[in-house]
Amino acid sequence: MTPGDDSALYINRDLSWLEFNARVLDQALDRRVPLLERVKFVAIFGSNLDEFFMIRVSGLHEQLESGVPATAPDGLSVAEQLARIRERTAALTQTAASLLRGELTDELARAGIRIVGYGALTRGQREWAGSYFRRSVFPVLTPLAVDPAHPFPFLSNLSLSLAVEAADPQTGERRFVRIKVPESLPRFVRVEGADDDFLPLEELIAAHLSDLVPGTDILGCHPFRVTRDMDIDILEDEASDLLSLVDHKIRQRRFGAVVRLEVSPKLPPRVRAMLTEKLQIDEEDVYEFDGLLGLSGLFALAQLPRPDLRDPPLASTPPKEWDAADPFARVAQRDVLLRHPHDSFAVVVDLLRRAAEDPDVLAIKMTLYRAGSDSEVVRTLIRAAENGKQVAVLLELKARFDEATNIGWARALERAGAHVFFGMAGLKIHGKLLLIVRREGRRDGRGDGRGEGPVLRRYVHAATGNYNAATARLYTDLALVTADDAIGEDACDVFNMLSGFSRQTAFRKLVVAPLALRRTVVAKIDEQADRARAGGEGRVFAKMNSLVDAQVIRALYAASQAGVTIDLVIRGICCLRPGVPGVSERIRVRSLLGRFLEHERIYAFGPAGQDDIYIASADWMPRNLDRRVELMVPVVDDRLRERIRRECMRPLETHDGAIHELDASGAYRRLAPEAIAPRAAATPPPGAAAAAV
């Protein structure tokens, strides 16, 4: 079997993603996980699945409708992919429904938290519920009938609705009425007289339909939910004014085609047929769910203030080597590594705040991808601009589902006097980079013509994760803070490339996509293959979110055949098939899931102690390597390199969450603690050294 020539060597990207979401659901099934954390994982599972349909499944539908033949690297046609997605999704959602309806509900009840139906309320509680409904819910609702005078209403993305059938008691004529469950109200209503009893809002509404459609006979009421195509396509020739264009596109997005209809199994066939007809979808796009629709709503319950049912709080602190009194002096002496959330993200905000207030800081330049709706980082940049600093911000308008937030920040920064610029239509700016230019000291013989002048020092913060304080508490990410001259010059060149008409193609230490990242990664893998063929020890370690790129996968297959030991830690999608005889026997793929989202990208090439270690913003996916501006940064300080090995590479054997290993069939199995052991150094295959000669 030759790598790259046989589709059997590749795992389908979208099916691999579904297996990742299955591992998320596995965390909810694990009784060793604290109870409300299990509820949180069900909510994450549902939220992930929503986005998968909004982006990936909608894209497959567009391919199918275009009529252009398309085959994935694994050989599946678009129709085959959609069929397998439906089959796997149905199985996973059935598992989630059974868990939520059974074991998880029972466990919550034993802990004093009950999700109750209206029928379980006492008489007094029903009186209170009726009063609450009339006071706080009824005024918000608008029943929409469907008849010759009332067309079928627009259903917004991810909106939960009630399909009500009502009949005129005199004529017997049936009417369909749609009632939207308002998103502006709590999904779970706390029942009066029971601190932790919660009534789903849709059940409260369903119990009071006579107030909404008085004088009719209610024949049935069933929840349903739609998912729409929410992807934004921006063509190169459209981007004359990117900010206005993206603003227009996100307004259009709400009208995307429906790609999924979720319904109760009890929904009558006639109503189901009417919905599929009006929404213009096939029966194959209808998914039954026997339970609460919209699992992401469970985040509200997962956040209940019950510390006894949650993970113990993590005390994030600054790293020991950080000097809060004078961070610039500390970084000027030696590089600092930040590992979030264990190292507090407040360090980054404080560094920015000091730069904004320091009279010796002349300029601050920064990339922002997902800053968040309540961003102290952006507010600090605004203060810096108001203080007269030269502030330049590359703000990525096309960060999916954060477009509107970023447009708002762009306008606020511009009003403060900052220079704001955006990525091109064909490229997303995904690299995480902060550059602070500071005037320091004096040096004889240079500068102002009087024999001395200031020295301008560049401070750089390069990270694997976003400048977002909220996600920095939930995601594991790394950042390098350095005053290295070469990296500082590279950072200047990167910003000039992004803001101007630069044709920069080479950098000193930074590896930049789409210019050189793919080429560098493949070359580093090939170097290890050459080392193994020559009789040495070749090793590759890579930790990332997703591995999809076929060229990189082929390089890894070739390195495995040459005798290189390859450890891949891939949280999400993995299209590489490990353990294939003669192809990938030396490749091990594991996935870590636990309390925090394993988000950092770490790449190491060579045996421990001799390895080149990088941190990066990029996964090994075509979009990262070819269609985004990404950064890979070398870590050269031996002390920091050892910390990365100790805390991020070796914990494969000590990780306190779930570790799953991928086999050649494409299936993941959860490893028992005794099955997790360090890998011994590999020996080259027989004849490798001779072949190299």
Side-chain angles (χ1 to χ4, degrees), residues 345 367-379 395-396 399-410 413 466-472:
F345 187 76
T367 64
L368 290 177
Y369 190 74
R370 297 191 192 277
S373 58
D374 182 24
S375 175
E376 184 62 27
V377 166
V378 180
R379 287 194 289 269
L395 208 155
E396 180 49 72
R400 186 177 292 144
F401 304 127
D402 280 304
E403 300 95 343
T405 298
N406 287 358
I407 287 173
W409 284 129
L413 285 161
N466 297 304
Y467 291 108
N468 186 315
T471 57

PDB file of all heavy atoms in Angstrom, residues 345 367-379 395-396 399-410 413 466-472:
ATOM      1  N   PHE A 345      -4.147  34.857  32.773  1.00  0.00           N
ATOM      2  CA  PHE A 345      -4.185  35.732  31.602  1.00  0.00           C
ATOM      3  C   PHE A 345      -4.076  37.198  32.017  1.00  0.00           C
ATOM      4  O   PHE A 345      -3.770  38.064  31.181  1.00  0.00           O
ATOM      5  CB  PHE A 345      -5.482  35.509  30.821  1.00  0.00           C
ATOM      6  CG  PHE A 345      -5.534  36.238  29.506  1.00  0.00           C
ATOM      7  CD1 PHE A 345      -4.820  35.778  28.411  1.00  0.00           C
ATOM      8  CD2 PHE A 345      -6.305  37.384  29.362  1.00  0.00           C
ATOM      9  CE1 PHE A 345      -4.861  36.445  27.204  1.00  0.00           C
ATOM     10  CE2 PHE A 345      -6.354  38.059  28.158  1.00  0.00           C
ATOM     11  CZ  PHE A 345      -5.631  37.590  27.069  1.00  0.00           C
ATOM     12  N   THR A 367      -2.687  41.688  16.745  1.00  0.00           N
ATOM     13  CA  THR A 367      -3.718  40.997  15.969  1.00  0.00           C
ATOM     14  C   THR A 367      -4.819  40.559  16.920  1.00  0.00           C
ATOM     15  O   THR A 367      -4.553  40.094  18.029  1.00  0.00           O
ATOM     16  CB  THR A 367      -3.162  39.758  15.249  1.00  0.00           C
ATOM     17  OG1 THR A 367      -2.712  38.800  16.218  1.00  0.00           O
ATOM     18  CG2 THR A 367      -2.004  40.115  14.321  1.00  0.00           C
ATOM     19  N   LEU A 368      -6.067  40.685  16.475  1.00  0.00           N
ATOM     20  CA  LEU A 368      -7.207  40.250  17.272  1.00  0.00           C
ATOM     21  C   LEU A 368      -8.107  39.382  16.413  1.00  0.00           C
ATOM     22  O   LEU A 368      -8.564  39.815  15.350  1.00  0.00           O
ATOM     23  CB  LEU A 368      -7.998  41.446  17.803  1.00  0.00           C
ATOM     24  CG  LEU A 368      -7.329  42.293  18.885  1.00  0.00           C
ATOM     25  CD1 LEU A 368      -8.213  43.470  19.255  1.00  0.00           C
ATOM     26  CD2 LEU A 368      -7.011  41.463  20.121  1.00  0.00           C
ATOM     27  N   TYR A 369      -8.363  38.162  16.884  1.00  0.00           N
ATOM     28  CA  TYR A 369      -9.228  37.231  16.154  1.00  0.00           C
ATOM     29  C   TYR A 369     -10.562  37.068  16.884  1.00  0.00           C
ATOM     30  O   TYR A 369     -11.613  37.396  16.355  1.00  0.00           O
ATOM     31  CB  TYR A 369      -8.511  35.884  16.001  1.00  0.00           C
ATOM     32  CG  TYR A 369      -9.215  34.925  15.061  1.00  0.00           C
ATOM     33  CD1 TYR A 369      -9.169  35.145  13.684  1.00  0.00           C
ATOM     34  CD2 TYR A 369      -9.880  33.819  15.536  1.00  0.00           C
ATOM     35  CE1 TYR A 369      -9.809  34.280  12.803  1.00  0.00           C
ATOM     36  CE2 TYR A 369     -10.522  32.942  14.668  1.00  0.00           C
ATOM     37  CZ  TYR A 369     -10.476  33.175  13.307  1.00  0.00           C
ATOM     38  OH  TYR A 369     -11.121  32.314  12.444  1.00  0.00           O
ATOM     39  N   ARG A 370     -10.528  36.581  18.111  1.00  0.00           N
ATOM     40  CA  ARG A 370     -11.738  36.489  18.937  1.00  0.00           C
ATOM     41  C   ARG A 370     -11.454  37.187  20.266  1.00  0.00           C
ATOM     42  O   ARG A 370     -11.006  36.558  21.226  1.00  0.00           O
ATOM     43  CB  ARG A 370     -12.127  35.029  19.182  1.00  0.00           C
ATOM     44  CG  ARG A 370     -12.478  34.251  17.930  1.00  0.00           C
ATOM     45  CD  ARG A 370     -13.099  32.912  18.297  1.00  0.00           C
ATOM     46  NE  ARG A 370     -13.187  32.012  17.158  1.00  0.00           N
ATOM     47  CZ  ARG A 370     -14.164  32.030  16.252  1.00  0.00           C
ATOM     48  NH1 ARG A 370     -15.111  32.938  16.363  1.00  0.00           N
ATOM     49  NH2 ARG A 370     -14.176  31.168  15.257  1.00  0.00           N
ATOM     50  N   ALA A 371     -11.719  38.469  20.323  1.00  0.00           N
ATOM     51  CA  ALA A 371     -11.438  39.225  21.535  1.00  0.00           C
ATOM     52  C   ALA A 371     -12.536  39.056  22.574  1.00  0.00           C
ATOM     53  O   ALA A 371     -12.301  39.206  23.769  1.00  0.00           O
ATOM     54  CB  ALA A 371     -11.264  40.704  21.200  1.00  0.00           C
ATOM     55  N   GLY A 372     -13.769  38.760  22.129  1.00  0.00           N
ATOM     56  CA  GLY A 372     -14.891  38.631  23.050  1.00  0.00           C
ATOM     57  C   GLY A 372     -15.674  39.927  23.148  1.00  0.00           C
ATOM     58  O   GLY A 372     -15.187  41.015  22.806  1.00  0.00           O
ATOM     59  N   SER A 373     -16.903  39.822  23.624  1.00  0.00           N
ATOM     60  CA  SER A 373     -17.790  40.981  23.670  1.00  0.00           C
ATOM     61  C   SER A 373     -17.465  41.932  24.815  1.00  0.00           C
ATOM     62  O   SER A 373     -17.835  43.108  24.778  1.00  0.00           O
ATOM     63  CB  SER A 373     -19.247  40.517  23.787  1.00  0.00           C
ATOM     64  OG  SER A 373     -19.409  39.715  24.956  1.00  0.00           O
ATOM     65  N   ASP A 374     -16.780  41.456  25.834  1.00  0.00           N
ATOM     66  CA  ASP A 374     -16.409  42.281  26.985  1.00  0.00           C
ATOM     67  C   ASP A 374     -14.904  42.163  27.155  1.00  0.00           C
ATOM     68  O   ASP A 374     -14.413  41.396  27.981  1.00  0.00           O
ATOM     69  CB  ASP A 374     -17.157  41.817  28.237  1.00  0.00           C
ATOM     70  CG  ASP A 374     -16.837  42.669  29.448  1.00  0.00           C
ATOM     71  OD1 ASP A 374     -16.427  43.825  29.263  1.00  0.00           O
ATOM     72  OD2 ASP A 374     -16.990  42.175  30.582  1.00  0.00           O
ATOM     73  N   SER A 375     -14.160  42.950  26.382  1.00  0.00           N
ATOM     74  CA  SER A 375     -12.724  42.740  26.262  1.00  0.00           C
ATOM     75  C   SER A 375     -11.926  43.851  26.936  1.00  0.00           C
ATOM     76  O   SER A 375     -11.897  44.998  26.460  1.00  0.00           O
ATOM     77  CB  SER A 375     -12.321  42.654  24.781  1.00  0.00           C
ATOM     78  OG  SER A 375     -10.919  42.568  24.659  1.00  0.00           O
ATOM     79  N   GLU A 376     -11.267  43.500  28.029  1.00  0.00           N
ATOM     80  CA  GLU A 376     -10.361  44.449  28.670  1.00  0.00           C
ATOM     81  C   GLU A 376      -9.160  44.719  27.775  1.00  0.00           C
ATOM     82  O   GLU A 376      -8.575  45.817  27.813  1.00  0.00           O
ATOM     83  CB  GLU A 376      -9.914  43.903  30.026  1.00  0.00           C
ATOM     84  CG  GLU A 376      -9.030  44.854  30.820  1.00  0.00           C
ATOM     85  CD  GLU A 376      -9.738  46.158  31.176  1.00  0.00           C
ATOM     86  OE1 GLU A 376     -10.965  46.150  31.287  1.00  0.00           O
ATOM     87  OE2 GLU A 376      -9.037  47.179  31.337  1.00  0.00           O
ATOM     88  N   VAL A 377      -8.785  43.749  26.952  1.00  0.00           N
ATOM     89  CA  VAL A 377      -7.679  43.941  26.011  1.00  0.00           C
ATOM     90  C   VAL A 377      -7.990  45.089  25.061  1.00  0.00           C
ATOM     91  O   VAL A 377      -7.175  46.000  24.857  1.00  0.00           O
ATOM     92  CB  VAL A 377      -7.414  42.637  25.227  1.00  0.00           C
ATOM     93  CG1 VAL A 377      -6.513  42.904  24.019  1.00  0.00           C
ATOM     94  CG2 VAL A 377      -6.766  41.593  26.138  1.00  0.00           C
ATOM     95  N   VAL A 378      -9.176  45.078  24.456  1.00  0.00           N
ATOM     96  CA  VAL A 378      -9.520  46.137  23.505  1.00  0.00           C
ATOM     97  C   VAL A 378      -9.670  47.469  24.223  1.00  0.00           C
ATOM     98  O   VAL A 378      -9.227  48.516  23.720  1.00  0.00           O
ATOM     99  CB  VAL A 378     -10.806  45.780  22.734  1.00  0.00           C
ATOM    100  CG1 VAL A 378     -11.146  46.884  21.741  1.00  0.00           C
ATOM    101  CG2 VAL A 378     -10.633  44.463  21.994  1.00  0.00           C
ATOM    102  N   ARG A 379     -10.273  47.466  25.385  1.00  0.00           N
ATOM    103  CA  ARG A 379     -10.411  48.726  26.126  1.00  0.00           C
ATOM    104  C   ARG A 379      -9.043  49.315  26.470  1.00  0.00           C
ATOM    105  O   ARG A 379      -8.863  50.541  26.464  1.00  0.00           O
ATOM    106  CB  ARG A 379     -11.238  48.500  27.387  1.00  0.00           C
ATOM    107  CG  ARG A 379     -12.732  48.302  27.106  1.00  0.00           C
ATOM    108  CD  ARG A 379     -13.553  48.423  28.387  1.00  0.00           C
ATOM    109  NE  ARG A 379     -13.338  47.278  29.250  1.00  0.00           N
ATOM    110  CZ  ARG A 379     -14.069  46.176  29.223  1.00  0.00           C
ATOM    111  NH1 ARG A 379     -15.065  46.060  28.357  1.00  0.00           N
ATOM    112  NH2 ARG A 379     -13.842  45.180  30.055  1.00  0.00           N
ATOM    113  N   LEU A 395      -7.634  43.499  12.951  1.00  0.00           N
ATOM    114  CA  LEU A 395      -8.830  42.901  13.524  1.00  0.00           C
ATOM    115  C   LEU A 395      -9.505  42.054  12.452  1.00  0.00           C
ATOM    116  O   LEU A 395      -9.894  42.568  11.416  1.00  0.00           O
ATOM    117  CB  LEU A 395      -9.771  44.001  14.029  1.00  0.00           C
ATOM    118  CG  LEU A 395     -10.677  43.622  15.190  1.00  0.00           C
ATOM    119  CD1 LEU A 395     -11.067  44.853  15.974  1.00  0.00           C
ATOM    120  CD2 LEU A 395     -11.910  42.906  14.711  1.00  0.00           C
ATOM    121  N   GLU A 396      -9.572  40.755  12.706  1.00  0.00           N
ATOM    122  CA  GLU A 396     -10.116  39.823  11.708  1.00  0.00           C
ATOM    123  C   GLU A 396     -11.635  39.866  11.729  1.00  0.00           C
ATOM    124  O   GLU A 396     -12.266  39.382  12.666  1.00  0.00           O
ATOM    125  CB  GLU A 396      -9.610  38.398  11.968  1.00  0.00           C
ATOM    126  CG  GLU A 396     -10.126  37.369  10.983  1.00  0.00           C
ATOM    127  CD  GLU A 396      -9.962  37.802   9.552  1.00  0.00           C
ATOM    128  OE1 GLU A 396      -8.816  37.824   9.064  1.00  0.00           O
ATOM    129  OE2 GLU A 396     -10.981  38.158   8.920  1.00  0.00           O
ATOM    130  N   ALA A 399     -13.807  36.262  11.610  1.00  0.00           N
ATOM    131  CA  ALA A 399     -13.784  35.239  12.664  1.00  0.00           C
ATOM    132  C   ALA A 399     -15.207  34.744  12.874  1.00  0.00           C
ATOM    133  O   ALA A 399     -16.071  35.481  13.340  1.00  0.00           O
ATOM    134  CB  ALA A 399     -13.217  35.814  13.956  1.00  0.00           C
ATOM    135  N   ARG A 400     -15.458  33.489  12.505  1.00  0.00           N
ATOM    136  CA  ARG A 400     -16.821  32.974  12.425  1.00  0.00           C
ATOM    137  C   ARG A 400     -17.601  33.154  13.724  1.00  0.00           C
ATOM    138  O   ARG A 400     -17.145  32.785  14.801  1.00  0.00           O
ATOM    139  CB  ARG A 400     -16.783  31.499  12.032  1.00  0.00           C
ATOM    140  CG  ARG A 400     -18.151  30.884  11.772  1.00  0.00           C
ATOM    141  CD  ARG A 400     -17.987  29.454  11.330  1.00  0.00           C
ATOM    142  NE  ARG A 400     -17.361  29.358  10.023  1.00  0.00           N
ATOM    143  CZ  ARG A 400     -16.502  28.389   9.667  1.00  0.00           C
ATOM    144  NH1 ARG A 400     -16.143  27.470  10.539  1.00  0.00           N
ATOM    145  NH2 ARG A 400     -15.995  28.364   8.459  1.00  0.00           N
ATOM    146  N   PHE A 401     -18.805  33.742  13.589  1.00  0.00           N
ATOM    147  CA  PHE A 401     -19.756  34.019  14.665  1.00  0.00           C
ATOM    148  C   PHE A 401     -19.289  35.128  15.612  1.00  0.00           C
ATOM    149  O   PHE A 401     -19.988  35.458  16.559  1.00  0.00           O
ATOM    150  CB  PHE A 401     -20.106  32.759  15.459  1.00  0.00           C
ATOM    151  CG  PHE A 401     -20.648  31.653  14.596  1.00  0.00           C
ATOM    152  CD1 PHE A 401     -20.091  30.384  14.621  1.00  0.00           C
ATOM    153  CD2 PHE A 401     -21.702  31.893  13.735  1.00  0.00           C
ATOM    154  CE1 PHE A 401     -20.589  29.365  13.808  1.00  0.00           C
ATOM    155  CE2 PHE A 401     -22.202  30.890  12.923  1.00  0.00           C
ATOM    156  CZ  PHE A 401     -21.644  29.623  12.959  1.00  0.00           C
ATOM    157  N   ASP A 402     -18.105  35.705  15.355  1.00  0.00           N
ATOM    158  CA  ASP A 402     -17.661  36.878  16.109  1.00  0.00           C
ATOM    159  C   ASP A 402     -17.592  38.112  15.220  1.00  0.00           C
ATOM    160  O   ASP A 402     -17.028  39.132  15.613  1.00  0.00           O
ATOM    161  CB  ASP A 402     -16.285  36.619  16.745  1.00  0.00           C
ATOM    162  CG  ASP A 402     -16.372  35.805  18.013  1.00  0.00           C
ATOM    163  OD1 ASP A 402     -17.094  36.224  18.928  1.00  0.00           O
ATOM    164  OD2 ASP A 402     -15.743  34.734  18.087  1.00  0.00           O
ATOM    165  N   GLU A 403     -18.159  38.018  14.019  1.00  0.00           N
ATOM    166  CA  GLU A 403     -18.033  39.118  13.067  1.00  0.00           C
ATOM    167  C   GLU A 403     -18.653  40.410  13.613  1.00  0.00           C
ATOM    168  O   GLU A 403     -18.043  41.482  13.545  1.00  0.00           O
ATOM    169  CB  GLU A 403     -18.704  38.755  11.727  1.00  0.00           C
ATOM    170  CG  GLU A 403     -18.117  37.531  11.044  1.00  0.00           C
ATOM    171  CD  GLU A 403     -18.892  36.252  11.357  1.00  0.00           C
ATOM    172  OE1 GLU A 403     -19.665  36.253  12.336  1.00  0.00           O
ATOM    173  OE2 GLU A 403     -18.727  35.276  10.615  1.00  0.00           O
ATOM    174  N   ALA A 404     -19.874  40.313  14.143  1.00  0.00           N
ATOM    175  CA  ALA A 404     -20.557  41.522  14.616  1.00  0.00           C
ATOM    176  C   ALA A 404     -19.802  42.156  15.789  1.00  0.00           C
ATOM    177  O   ALA A 404     -19.648  43.388  15.850  1.00  0.00           O
ATOM    178  CB  ALA A 404     -21.995  41.183  15.020  1.00  0.00           C
ATOM    179  N   THR A 405     -19.319  41.326  16.705  1.00  0.00           N
ATOM    180  CA  THR A 405     -18.542  41.845  17.838  1.00  0.00           C
ATOM    181  C   THR A 405     -17.299  42.556  17.353  1.00  0.00           C
ATOM    182  O   THR A 405     -16.965  43.660  17.816  1.00  0.00           O
ATOM    183  CB  THR A 405     -18.153  40.693  18.783  1.00  0.00           C
ATOM    184  OG1 THR A 405     -19.337  40.102  19.313  1.00  0.00           O
ATOM    185  CG2 THR A 405     -17.288  41.191  19.920  1.00  0.00           C
ATOM    186  N   ASN A 406     -16.593  41.958  16.395  1.00  0.00           N
ATOM    187  CA  ASN A 406     -15.361  42.555  15.906  1.00  0.00           C
ATOM    188  C   ASN A 406     -15.613  43.853  15.144  1.00  0.00           C
ATOM    189  O   ASN A 406     -14.804  44.786  15.200  1.00  0.00           O
ATOM    190  CB  ASN A 406     -14.611  41.549  15.028  1.00  0.00           C
ATOM    191  CG  ASN A 406     -13.973  40.438  15.851  1.00  0.00           C
ATOM    192  OD1 ASN A 406     -14.069  40.440  17.082  1.00  0.00           O
ATOM    193  ND2 ASN A 406     -13.333  39.488  15.198  1.00  0.00           N
ATOM    194  N   ILE A 407     -16.724  43.929  14.420  1.00  0.00           N
ATOM    195  CA  ILE A 407     -17.064  45.179  13.735  1.00  0.00           C
ATOM    196  C   ILE A 407     -17.265  46.291  14.767  1.00  0.00           C
ATOM    197  O   ILE A 407     -16.799  47.430  14.595  1.00  0.00           O
ATOM    198  CB  ILE A 407     -18.324  44.985  12.871  1.00  0.00           C
ATOM    199  CG1 ILE A 407     -17.986  44.149  11.625  1.00  0.00           C
ATOM    200  CG2 ILE A 407     -18.912  46.333  12.447  1.00  0.00           C
ATOM    201  CD1 ILE A 407     -19.198  43.753  10.803  1.00  0.00           C
ATOM    202  N   GLY A 408     -17.942  45.975  15.860  1.00  0.00           N
ATOM    203  CA  GLY A 408     -18.145  46.965  16.915  1.00  0.00           C
ATOM    204  C   GLY A 408     -16.835  47.445  17.518  1.00  0.00           C
ATOM    205  O   GLY A 408     -16.632  48.653  17.723  1.00  0.00           O
ATOM    206  N   TRP A 409     -15.925  46.512  17.785  1.00  0.00           N
ATOM    207  CA  TRP A 409     -14.624  46.896  18.336  1.00  0.00           C
ATOM    208  C   TRP A 409     -13.823  47.714  17.329  1.00  0.00           C
ATOM    209  O   TRP A 409     -13.116  48.661  17.712  1.00  0.00           O
ATOM    210  CB  TRP A 409     -13.835  45.662  18.748  1.00  0.00           C
ATOM    211  CG  TRP A 409     -14.278  45.016  20.026  1.00  0.00           C
ATOM    212  CD1 TRP A 409     -14.572  43.705  20.233  1.00  0.00           C
ATOM    213  CD2 TRP A 409     -14.456  45.649  21.302  1.00  0.00           C
ATOM    214  NE1 TRP A 409     -14.926  43.470  21.535  1.00  0.00           N
ATOM    215  CE2 TRP A 409     -14.857  44.650  22.228  1.00  0.00           C
ATOM    216  CE3 TRP A 409     -14.321  46.965  21.756  1.00  0.00           C
ATOM    217  CZ2 TRP A 409     -15.121  44.929  23.565  1.00  0.00           C
ATOM    218  CZ3 TRP A 409     -14.589  47.246  23.097  1.00  0.00           C
ATOM    219  CH2 TRP A 409     -14.984  46.241  23.979  1.00  0.00           C
ATOM    220  N   ALA A 410     -13.911  47.356  16.040  1.00  0.00           N
ATOM    221  CA  ALA A 410     -13.180  48.103  15.014  1.00  0.00           C
ATOM    222  C   ALA A 410     -13.591  49.567  15.023  1.00  0.00           C
ATOM    223  O   ALA A 410     -12.750  50.486  14.974  1.00  0.00           O
ATOM    224  CB  ALA A 410     -13.421  47.484  13.640  1.00  0.00           C
ATOM    225  N   LEU A 413     -12.263  51.347  18.209  1.00  0.00           N
ATOM    226  CA  LEU A 413     -10.826  51.612  18.112  1.00  0.00           C
ATOM    227  C   LEU A 413     -10.544  52.776  17.168  1.00  0.00           C
ATOM    228  O   LEU A 413      -9.699  53.640  17.453  1.00  0.00           O
ATOM    229  CB  LEU A 413     -10.099  50.353  17.636  1.00  0.00           C
ATOM    230  CG  LEU A 413      -9.931  49.250  18.683  1.00  0.00           C
ATOM    231  CD1 LEU A 413      -9.632  47.907  18.009  1.00  0.00           C
ATOM    232  CD2 LEU A 413      -8.809  49.602  19.652  1.00  0.00           C
ATOM    233  N   ASN A 466      -6.370  32.846  21.575  1.00  0.00           N
ATOM    234  CA  ASN A 466      -6.872  34.197  21.343  1.00  0.00           C
ATOM    235  C   ASN A 466      -6.615  35.115  22.529  1.00  0.00           C
ATOM    236  O   ASN A 466      -6.435  34.659  23.656  1.00  0.00           O
ATOM    237  CB  ASN A 466      -8.370  34.143  21.054  1.00  0.00           C
ATOM    238  CG  ASN A 466      -8.689  33.368  19.796  1.00  0.00           C
ATOM    239  OD1 ASN A 466      -8.185  33.676  18.726  1.00  0.00           O
ATOM    240  ND2 ASN A 466      -9.518  32.346  19.916  1.00  0.00           N
ATOM    241  N   TYR A 467      -6.655  36.413  22.249  1.00  0.00           N
ATOM    242  CA  TYR A 467      -6.541  37.410  23.309  1.00  0.00           C
ATOM    243  C   TYR A 467      -7.926  37.613  23.925  1.00  0.00           C
ATOM    244  O   TYR A 467      -8.574  38.642  23.739  1.00  0.00           O
ATOM    245  CB  TYR A 467      -5.969  38.708  22.745  1.00  0.00           C
ATOM    246  CG  TYR A 467      -4.521  38.583  22.336  1.00  0.00           C
ATOM    247  CD1 TYR A 467      -4.136  38.563  20.997  1.00  0.00           C
ATOM    248  CD2 TYR A 467      -3.524  38.453  23.302  1.00  0.00           C
ATOM    249  CE1 TYR A 467      -2.806  38.432  20.628  1.00  0.00           C
ATOM    250  CE2 TYR A 467      -2.186  38.324  22.950  1.00  0.00           C
ATOM    251  CZ  TYR A 467      -1.833  38.310  21.609  1.00  0.00           C
ATOM    252  OH  TYR A 467      -0.506  38.172  21.253  1.00  0.00           O
ATOM    253  N   ASN A 468      -8.365  36.603  24.634  1.00  0.00           N
ATOM    254  CA  ASN A 468      -9.722  36.553  25.159  1.00  0.00           C
ATOM    255  C   ASN A 468      -9.655  36.027  26.582  1.00  0.00           C
ATOM    256  O   ASN A 468      -9.328  34.860  26.808  1.00  0.00           O
ATOM    257  CB  ASN A 468     -10.587  35.651  24.270  1.00  0.00           C
ATOM    258  CG  ASN A 468     -12.046  35.646  24.662  1.00  0.00           C
ATOM    259  OD1 ASN A 468     -12.383  35.546  25.833  1.00  0.00           O
ATOM    260  ND2 ASN A 468     -12.924  35.733  23.671  1.00  0.00           N
ATOM    261  N   ALA A 469      -9.959  36.891  27.540  1.00  0.00           N
ATOM    262  CA  ALA A 469      -9.809  36.508  28.947  1.00  0.00           C
ATOM    263  C   ALA A 469     -10.749  35.374  29.340  1.00  0.00           C
ATOM    264  O   ALA A 469     -10.409  34.543  30.192  1.00  0.00           O
ATOM    265  CB  ALA A 469     -10.054  37.721  29.838  1.00  0.00           C
ATOM    266  N   ALA A 470     -11.937  35.319  28.721  1.00  0.00           N
ATOM    267  CA  ALA A 470     -12.899  34.278  29.078  1.00  0.00           C
ATOM    268  C   ALA A 470     -12.408  32.907  28.648  1.00  0.00           C
ATOM    269  O   ALA A 470     -12.396  31.954  29.435  1.00  0.00           O
ATOM    270  CB  ALA A 470     -14.259  34.584  28.456  1.00  0.00           C
ATOM    271  N   THR A 471     -11.986  32.767  27.383  1.00  0.00           N
ATOM    272  CA  THR A 471     -11.518  31.459  26.920  1.00  0.00           C
ATOM    273  C   THR A 471     -10.169  31.099  27.533  1.00  0.00           C
ATOM    274  O   THR A 471      -9.845  29.917  27.637  1.00  0.00           O
ATOM    275  CB  THR A 471     -11.429  31.429  25.380  1.00  0.00           C
ATOM    276  OG1 THR A 471     -10.560  32.475  24.926  1.00  0.00           O
ATOM    277  CG2 THR A 471     -12.796  31.619  24.760  1.00  0.00           C
ATOM    278  N   ALA A 472      -9.395  32.097  27.949  1.00  0.00           N
ATOM    279  CA  ALA A 472      -8.105  31.801  28.581  1.00  0.00           C
ATOM    280  C   ALA A 472      -8.276  31.086  29.913  1.00  0.00           C
ATOM    281  O   ALA A 472      -7.325  30.486  30.423  1.00  0.00           O
ATOM    282  CB  ALA A 472      -7.302  33.087  28.775  1.00  0.00           C
TER     283      ALA A 472
END
